[in-house]
Coordinates of all heavy atoms in Angstrom, one line a residue:
P374 N 22.8 22.9 -26.3 CA 23.4 24.1 -27.1 C 24.9 24.1 -27.0 O 25.5 23.7 -26.0 CB 22.7 25.3 -26.3 CG 22.4 24.8 -25.0 CD 22.0 23.3 -25.2
K376 N 28.6 26.1 -27.0 CA 29.1 27.3 -26.3 C 29.5 28.4 -27.2 O 29.5 29.6 -26.9 CB 30.3 27.0 -25.4 CG 29.9 26.1 -24.2 CD 31.0 25.9 -23.3 CE 30.6 25.0 -22.0 NZ 31.7 24.8 -21.1
Q387 N 29.3 33.7 -28.8 CA 29.4 32.8 -27.6 C 28.1 32.9 -26.8 O 27.5 34.0 -26.6 CB 30.6 33.3 -26.7 CG 31.9 33.0 -27.3 CD 33.1 33.4 -26.4 OE1 32.9 34.1 -25.4 NE2 34.3 32.9 -26.7
L388 N 27.7 31.7 -26.5 CA 26.4 31.6 -25.6 C 26.9 31.7 -24.2 O 27.4 30.7 -23.6 CB 25.7 30.3 -25.9 CG 24.4 30.0 -25.1 CD1 23.4 31.2 -25.3 CD2 23.8 28.7 -25.5
T389 N 26.7 32.8 -23.6 CA 27.1 33.1 -22.2 C 26.2 32.5 -21.2 O 26.6 31.9 -20.2 CB 27.3 34.6 -21.9 OG1 28.1 35.1 -23.0 CG2 28.0 34.8 -20.6
Q390 N 24.9 32.7 -21.4 CA 23.8 32.2 -20.4 C 22.7 31.7 -21.2 O 22.3 32.2 -22.3 CB 23.3 33.3 -19.5 CG 24.3 33.9 -18.5 CD 24.7 32.9 -17.4 OE1 23.9 32.0 -17.2 NE2 25.8 33.0 -16.8
F391 N 22.1 30.6 -20.7 CA 20.9 30.0 -21.4 C 19.9 29.7 -20.3 O 20.1 29.0 -19.3 CB 21.3 28.7 -22.1 CG 20.2 27.9 -22.6 CD1 19.1 28.6 -23.3 CD2 20.1 26.5 -22.5 CE1 18.1 27.9 -23.9 CE2 19.0 25.8 -23.0 CZ 18.0 26.5 -23.7
Y392 N 18.7 30.3 -20.5 CA 17.5 30.1 -19.6 C 16.4 29.3 -20.3 O 15.7 29.9 -21.1 CB 17.0 31.4 -19.1 CG 18.1 32.3 -18.4 CD1 18.6 33.3 -19.2 CD2 18.5 32.1 -17.2 CE1 19.6 34.1 -18.6 CE2 19.5 32.9 -16.6 CZ 20.0 33.9 -17.3 OH 21.0 34.7 -16.7
P393 N 16.4 28.0 -20.2 CA 15.4 27.2 -21.0 C 13.9 27.7 -20.7 O 13.1 27.7 -21.7 CB 15.6 25.8 -20.5 CG 16.9 25.8 -19.9 CD 17.1 27.1 -19.3
P407 N 17.3 37.4 -14.2 CA 16.8 36.3 -15.1 C 17.0 34.9 -14.4 O 18.0 34.7 -13.8 CB 17.6 36.4 -16.3 CG 18.1 37.8 -16.3 CD 18.3 38.2 -14.8
A418 N 15.5 31.8 -23.4 CA 16.1 33.1 -23.5 C 17.7 33.0 -23.4 O 18.1 32.0 -22.8 CB 15.6 34.0 -22.3
F419 N 18.4 33.9 -24.0 CA 19.8 33.7 -24.1 C 20.6 35.0 -23.8 O 20.0 36.1 -24.0 CB 20.2 33.3 -25.5 CG 19.3 32.2 -26.1 CD1 18.1 32.5 -26.6 CD2 19.8 30.9 -26.0 CE1 17.3 31.4 -27.1 CE2 19.0 29.8 -26.5 CZ 17.7 30.1 -27.1
V420 N 21.8 34.9 -23.3 CA 22.7 36.0 -23.3 C 23.9 35.6 -24.2 O 24.6 34.7 -24.0 CB 23.2 36.3 -21.8 CG1 24.3 37.4 -21.8 CG2 22.1 36.6 -20.9
F421 N 24.0 36.4 -25.3 CA 25.0 36.2 -26.3 C 26.1 37.2 -26.2 O 25.9 38.4 -25.9 CB 24.5 36.2 -27.7 CG 23.5 35.1 -28.0 CD1 22.2 35.3 -28.3 CD2 24.0 33.8 -28.1 CE1 21.3 34.3 -28.6 CE2 23.2 32.7 -28.4 CZ 21.8 33.0 -28.7
S422 N 27.4 36.8 -26.5 CA 28.5 37.7 -26.7 C 28.9 37.6 -28.1 O 29.3 36.6 -28.6 CB 29.7 37.3 -25.8 OG 29.3 37.4 -24.4
S434 N 24.3 40.8 -25.8 CA 22.9 41.0 -26.1 C 22.1 39.9 -25.4 O 22.5 38.8 -25.1 CB 22.7 40.8 -27.6 OG 23.4 41.7 -28.4
F435 N 20.9 40.4 -25.0 CA 19.9 39.4 -24.4 C 18.8 39.2 -25.4 O 18.1 40.1 -25.9 CB 19.3 40.0 -23.1 CG 18.3 39.1 -22.4 CD1 18.7 38.2 -21.5 CD2 17.0 39.3 -22.7 CE1 17.8 37.3 -20.9 CE2 16.0 38.5 -22.1 CZ 16.5 37.5 -21.2
A436 N 18.6 37.9 -25.7 CA 17.5 37.6 -26.7 C 16.6 36.5 -26.2 O 17.0 35.6 -25.5 CB 18.2 37.1 -28.0

Side-chain angles (χ1 to χ4, degrees):
K376 292 184 177 179
Q387 289 182 345
L388 179 57
T389 309
Q390 294 289 340
F391 174 43
Y392 305 100
F419 312 84
V420 176
F421 290 115
S422 295
S434 298
F435 179 86

